[in-house]
Amino acid sequence: MPRSRSSHQSHENHSLAAVIPFIGMPAGPAVHNEIDPFILGMPFPLGWISVWVVLTAIIMAVVYLIDPANREDAP
Amino acid sequence: MTAALALIALAALAALALGLVARAGRDMDLEQWAVGGRGFGWILVFLLLAGEIYTTFTFLGASGFSYGLGAPVYYILAYGSLAYVIAYFLLPLVWSYGSQHGLHSQPDFFVRKYASPSLGVLVSIVDLVALIPYLVLQLTGLGIIVTAAGYGAIPKDAAIWIGAAIVTVYVIMSGIRGSAYTAVVKDILILVVVLFLGIYLPLHLYGGIGPMFEQIAAAKPGFLVFPASGQSVAWFISTVLLTAVGFFMWPQSFGAAYSAKDARVFRRNAIILPIYQLILLFVFFVGFAAVLQVPGLKGADTNLALFKLATQEFSPAVVGLIGAAGVFTALVPGSLIAMTAAMLLSKNLIGVLRPEATDAQTLALAKWFVPVVMLVAVYFTLTGNTTIVTMLLVGYSFVTQLFPAVIASLMPRNPMTPAGAFAGILVGAVVAAVLSFTHATIGSLFPALPQAIRDLNVGIIALVANLVAMVVVSSVTRPRAIPAA
């Protein structure tokens, strides 16, 4: 099935966006393994991970929206 | 106490009833039994995939882990979300290939993709070695939960036998439908219980989550951040990545992918499941709340942290409700594991010896294997064999060894040969087993390396050995192919 240039482009974009959590999630504890500052009442590493869990869901929602596979006319 | 016992008994009966009702109005052929007729919408698939989050291991283990070791427990929250990101891309491909070729199990996938029944046998063995200890763990957890929540009135062995019998009956009758339907009640119960405990206990005992962590930090400095060596930041990062990769290689999760009605089911779930995972945070809170309240638990007793604190703080009715939720966390994953193991034995091991078997014969045999699998698991649970604990650690690294061959097979042109995949999985599994049984770490193997590298998860070595063997053997067995880097 030949892909149009635009759908190929957006395929790469949405795959690329999905890489972000793999970097963001471990980055906090890697750079700053200290208890302060607390995030939402939690020690920094735990707060950071929790925030990134939510960000991961948001990123995946964006990925879902720009992924041509989820368009109404997609198989 | 009577209230607690009544609630636990009610949970067991409800699980059995739901498990049986799940088959209503359906002709339970192999398609229905193993993959739910490939008709599950996002909610049922969600529950099957989320089932992995709340097993007894998370319920007891995650709270016990927080209580006993502190910060390293954070990794459990991190890896699941990343696993779902991988699932967004992986599961639709597995699903479409599965429905195209009428696959029922994970080894089926390898047999088809690599046109190699012997690869299917190897994968089945790897899967079974991982699955049986996992089932034992659920039964062990069930025994602990029922004993603790029943104030010791129900003997542990009786709880394990009854639990195993319930699972056996409804798996035989309803297959994967039984697991999916009981999962509905399980997830509602666990959600209520965990949110309540995780919010109420820190608030009531410490005046809030922030004050709780401040008091723990003051009493145990360093407990809430990763230690400088051992389960350090390097350990955390490598373990999160390795576990995320292995997550959907568990045959019961991989196989659950076949039950979806379309590919979008998985993509939608990749958005919801990370959020759902956050509930784990409240399990951590319970474990942390116990740190200053029920001090002194050591070793395996740390698994009791949640119940020790609950029996100290609540009336028997509440403890019973926690116990009821706990019963479901053991039975639901247990049922999916038992069904998967029985299917592997019937279709992918015995099936190789009798390729002419019809679907009806494969199903009939699989149903016979359900009680066999459960009896083996009960045996290991009751004898409390210590190697089983080590085997469980091996389990995760075992299934992770399937990842490279799965990914290679999904490429437009598979760079790996069947022999290469076979060699990679075999070498990876053997290395993983040796490392686990000798309790080796990268630090103990290579003491001269910098601390950060010494702390990396030892599973990386098995995965590297796997990749090397796969690429080398693939290039030898297909001389003109270009080996993938």
Side-chain angles (χ1 to χ4, degrees):
Chain A
M1 185 183 69
R3 272 176 190 271
S4 73
R5 189 173 186 80
S6 69
S7 85
H8 186 66
Q9 196 73 42
S10 94
H11 173 76
E12 283 177 352
N13 287 341
H14 84 256
S15 307
L16 213 60
V19 176
I20 301 170
F22 286 86
I23 300 160
M25 184 82 75
V31 173
H32 188 75
N33 181 33
E34 304 288 338
I35 193 160
D36 289 314
F38 271 43
I39 300 176
L40 303 167
M42 290 178 271
F44 181 81
L46 182 58
W48 176 278
I49 293 165
S50 305
V51 168
W52 267 93
V53 170
V54 176
L55 287 176
T56 302
I58 295 170
I59 290 167
M60 291 320 287
V62 173
V63 168
Y64 185 91
L65 290 175
I66 61 175
D67 185 349
N70 299 313
R71 282 201 304 248
E72 281 310 312
D73 56 346
Chain B
M1 191 185 99
T2 337
L5 291 177
L7 281 166
I8 293 166
L10 191 68
L13 285 175
L16 181 62
L18 261 171
L20 293 177
V21 163
R23 80 196 301 267
R26 286 201 171 72
D27 186 19
M28 292 303 289
D29 57 6
L30 186 65
E31 278 284 295
Q32 283 294 343
W33 195 77
V35 294
R38 300 178 209 276
F40 286 2
W42 74 266
I43 294 179
L44 286 182
V45 173
F46 169 86
L47 290 167
L48 286 177
L49 298 185
E52 282 307 289
I53 310 176
Y54 297 115
T55 69
T56 56
F57 180 67
T58 5
F59 199 53
L60 298 175
S63 54
F65 198 153
S66 322
Y67 173 92
L69 296 166
V73 78
Y74 304 161
Y75 99 91
I76 301 180
L77 184 60
Y79 81 76
S81 305
L82 298 182
Y84 298 128
V85 175
I86 296 175
Y88 180 97
F89 300 96
L90 177 69
L91 295 188
L93 297 173
V94 171
W95 168 83
S96 68
Y97 192 76
S99 50
Q100 213 177 319
H101 297 283
L103 308 182
H104 295 114
S105 68
Q106 189 186 44
D108 281 357
F109 182 89
F110 286 84
V111 171
R112 260 285 171 171
K113 277 283 188 187
Y114 286 91
S116 165
S118 55
L119 186 59
V121 172
L122 177 67
V123 172
S124 301
I125 293 168
V126 166
D127 282 348
L128 284 169
V129 171
L131 283 173
I132 298 293
Y134 205 6
L135 187 53
V136 169
L137 191 77
Q138 301 308 324
L139 292 176
T140 308
L142 179 73
I144 294 173
I145 289 168
V146 172
T147 311
Y151 296 85
I154 308 166
K156 199 172 63 128
D157 291 9
I160 291 165
W161 277 111
I162 294 169
I166 290 173
V167 168
T168 306
V169 170
Y170 84 70
V171 168
I172 289 177
M173 299 299 287
S174 305
I176 197 169
R177 284 193 175 274
S179 305
Y181 279 57
T182 45
V184 177
V185 177
K186 174 195 134 201
D187 278 52
I188 294 171
L189 265 179
I190 202 88
L191 210 69
V192 171
V193 165
V194 165
L195 283 180
F196 168 71
L197 293 177
I199 294 168
Y200 175 83
L201 288 172
L203 206 62
H204 173 71
L205 297 169
Y206 299 89
I209 287 160
M212 175 178 78
F213 281 120
E214 273 160 21
Q215 288 173 45
I216 295 171
K220 304 181 90 174
F223 191 66
L224 299 173
V225 295
F226 294 98
S229 67
Q231 290 181 324
S232 64
V233 171
W235 170 88
F236 163 75
I237 296 171
S238 57
T239 304
V240 163
L241 295 178
L242 210 59
T243 328
V245 159
F247 195 90
F248 280 102
M249 292 301 122
W250 278 99
Q252 73 277 26
S253 302
F254 193 97
Y258 298 145
S259 68
K261 70 171 164 41
D262 63 45
R264 257 170 278 194
V265 162
F266 306 109
R267 303 200 190 100
R268 225 165 268 168
N269 272 320
I271 305 169
I272 309 157
L273 280 163
I275 295 285
Y276 193 66
Q277 263 253 123
L278 268 186
I279 314 297
L280 271 177
L281 204 48
F282 296 89
V283 181
F284 296 174
F285 292 163
V286 178
F288 282 119
V291 170
L292 301 178
Q293 293 292 325
V294 283
L297 301 177
K298 293 263 180 285
D301 280 346
T302 58
N303 290 334
L304 292 169
L306 186 147
F307 275 103
K308 287 269 189 232
L309 188 56
T311 39
Q312 183 181 307
E313 294 296 322
F314 299 114
S315 68
V318 177
V319 174
L321 192 66
I322 302 171
V327 166
F328 272 90
T329 63
L331 298 188
V332 177
S335 67
L336 202 54
I337 296 167
M339 188 213 74
T340 306
M343 194 64 198
L344 294 177
L345 285 161
S346 169
K347 190 169 183 191
N348 303 103
L349 286 180
I350 305 296
V352 175
L353 304 174
R354 47 166 212 176
E356 74 291 345
T358 63
D359 277 4
Q361 287 168 326
T362 303
L363 175 61
L365 186 62
K367 286 180 175 177
W368 278 106
F369 273 123
V370 176
V372 174
V373 167
M374 290 309 294
L375 280 173
V376 169
V378 168
Y379 170 78
F380 279 120
T381 311
L382 296 183
T383 51
N385 198 323
T386 48
T387 38
I388 211 81
V389 180
T390 314
M391 279 176 75
L392 182 78
L393 300 176
V394 184
Y396 222 109
S397 44
F398 255 51
V399 293
T400 308
Q401 303 310 321
L402 304 176
F403 189 75
V406 167
I407 297 302
S409 80
L410 292 170
M411 291 179 180
R413 192 176 150 276
N414 189 348
M416 301 302 160
T417 63
F422 193 99
I425 293 168
L426 186 63
V427 168
V430 168
V431 171
V434 169
L435 292 175
S436 298
F437 277 96
T438 56
H439 300 285
T441 63
I442 293 187
S444 70
L445 294 170
F446 307 103
L449 291 170
Q451 189 63 43
I453 298 175
R454 293 168 44 138
D455 291 340
L456 291 178
N457 189 306
V458 72
I460 289 173
I461 293 185
L463 208 52
V464 169
N466 174 339
L467 279 171
V468 170
M470 188 163 90
V471 170
V472 168
V473 173
S474 290
S475 60
V476 170
T477 48
R478 192 167 57 195
R480 281 182 305 149
I482 305 150

